[in-house]
Amino acid sequence: MTGTEEHRFTRSAAGIVGLALLVIPLVCWATGAPNPLAAPGDSSGRSLAFLAQPTAHLVMAGCGLLIAAAAVLRSTAVRVAALGAFALLLDAGALAAIGYLPFMVFSAVTGNADNLTAYLSVPLLMQVGMGVAAAGLLWMLVDRPAPGGADAHERARARTARWTATAVIAPVVYAVTRVLMALEVPGFAMEIDESTKAAGIGLALAAVGGAVLTWGLVRPWGERWPRWMPRLAGREVPVNLPVVAALVVSVLVMAAGKAILLLAATTGSVISEHPWAWLPMLLWPLWSVSLALAALNSFEVSIETANPSPLVTVSIETVDSRAAGVCCAGARVGWGCGCASG
């Protein structure tokens, strides 16, 4: 997908998610089942838990209708409203599931695979699907033809480097706090058991891994698959892949940042009890925005590198042809000619 191509996958994803959000509350209403996004007992189903079940059904169906409309209509206002619907429905569950994945895998390898069943919960699967659709819709909303020329290319490179550096800081700071919590460093120590400490180390590893992948947006090694990957080793990474992945993570981080900001606004919350462990998470909204901007600018750089501006090419060809003409004209008056035609 480029700035001039239709985002077919984005439209399809938004359409499927919108229809699902329309159908699911109808099924829940008909069967008496609880709304999956209004289920306080599920860590991924709390976004509408503040509403009564009938109201949650209506809100989810309304959001689904709006998102489905954004998949069909080309209205900027509808797309912005659909992103607002996603902001309401998304919560921190999907990002938490990604963060805890290293610990869950380790637990499964050591004989405790039961925890992995949490990754099959309906609310979590809905959160992931909504995250992908929201990321695609965001890209479709901001996508514009990139300006051509060497100057624009260099400016895009500079913006990518700047936003990438910013997007790396937040997860690294978060990882450091989780390690300090596990080591019970004063100011970070909390009353947690060994299993929770191990999970915190897993969160730190996931955050560092995310920071490394983000850094790959501006490094040559980020353009090709690593050698240890079968069948893909050494091949170029598709231009769209890191952009889509970064935008999805950006959307999920913003959803988690929303939850953290709401928690910070609550009097007597856990943040006030352990500020050094929690305050770095207030950087998450900045992390989300900087990651999205880094990905979008990286895409612009990749497209310009793969398809240099025609204006620049024509300019170079014109200079070459004029130089050849002067050279041949000089040959006719006895100055000699160094061009191929001379």
Side-chain angles (χ1 to χ4, degrees):
M1 290 181 288
T2 66
T4 58
E5 293 178 344
E6 290 295 329
H7 291 254
R8 296 178 181 176
F9 173 79
T10 296
R11 292 178 179 276
S12 299
I16 292 171
V17 169
L19 290 175
L21 292 174
L22 271 170
V23 172
I24 289 174
L26 293 176
V27 173
C28 292
W29 174 78
T31 61
N35 190 297
L37 297 185
D42 193 307
S43 59
S44 299
R46 300 173 181 172
S47 56
L48 298 181
F50 63 97
L51 299 173
Q53 287 293 319
T55 308
H57 295 336
L58 287 175
V59 170
M60 181 188 287
C63 290
L65 182 61
L66 194 56
I67 293 166
V72 178
L73 303 178
R74 297 178 182 271
S75 169
T76 299
V78 173
R79 292 173 180 174
V80 172
L83 286 175
F86 278 126
L88 173 64
L89 298 178
L90 286 165
D91 63 19
L95 185 68
I98 295 173
Y100 282 112
L101 187 59
F103 173 71
M104 294 296 191
V105 172
F106 176 78
S107 298
V109 172
T110 55
N112 188 10
D114 294 340
N115 292 332
L116 289 176
T117 58
Y119 286 83
L120 299 178
S121 73
V122 172
L124 177 58
L125 295 176
M126 290 179 64
Q127 290 288 333
V128 173
M130 288 190 296
V132 173
L137 190 61
L138 174 63
W139 191 6
M140 187 166 59
L141 183 65
V142 302
D143 195 11
R144 296 291 184 274
D151 290 343
H153 185 63
E154 289 305 315
R155 287 195 297 271
R157 280 186 176 276
R159 290 194 302 270
T160 303
R162 181 170 62 251
W163 288 116
T164 298
T166 305
V168 166
I169 293 173
V172 170
V173 171
Y174 175 76
V176 171
T177 63
R178 267 41 201 169
V179 172
L180 294 177
M181 286 173 60
L183 296 177
E184 299 184 353
V185 174
F188 296 90
M190 300 174 64
E191 295 182 3
I192 53 178
D193 56 25
E194 295 301 319
S195 176
T196 304
K197 290 180 181 180
I201 296 297
L203 288 171
L205 291 175
V208 171
V212 171
L213 292 175
T214 302
W215 191 245
L217 292 173
V218 293
R219 304 305 303 167
W221 52 262
E223 299 174 0
R224 294 186 178 276
W225 295 103
R227 297 178 180 178
W228 52 265
M229 296 193 69
R231 297 188 180 183
L232 294 175
R235 295 185 180 182
E236 290 188 358
V237 176
V239 175
N240 294 335
L241 181 59
V243 182
V244 172
L247 287 178
V248 171
V249 173
S250 171
V251 167
L252 299 181
V253 169
M254 183 59 77
K258 177 191 71 173
I260 294 298
L261 291 176
L262 291 175
L263 184 62
T266 303
T267 304
S269 68
V270 67
I271 293 180
S272 60
E273 298 176 5
H274 304 281
W276 290 109
W278 287 90
L279 286 178
M281 297 170 70
L282 295 178
L283 293 173
W284 284 8
L286 175 62
W287 177 16
S288 171
V289 172
S290 58
L291 180 58
L293 290 173
L296 293 170
N297 281 284
S298 172
F299 179 72
E300 181 180 328
V301 170
S302 300
I303 292 299
E304 182 64 26
T305 301
N307 304 288
S309 172
L311 296 177
V312 177
T313 304
V314 171
S315 162
I316 294 174
E317 291 176 349
T318 302
V319 171
D320 287 344
S321 62
R322 289 179 179 176
V326 171
C327 181
C328 293
R332 288 194 290 271
V333 295
W335 293 348
C337 179
C339 66
S341 59

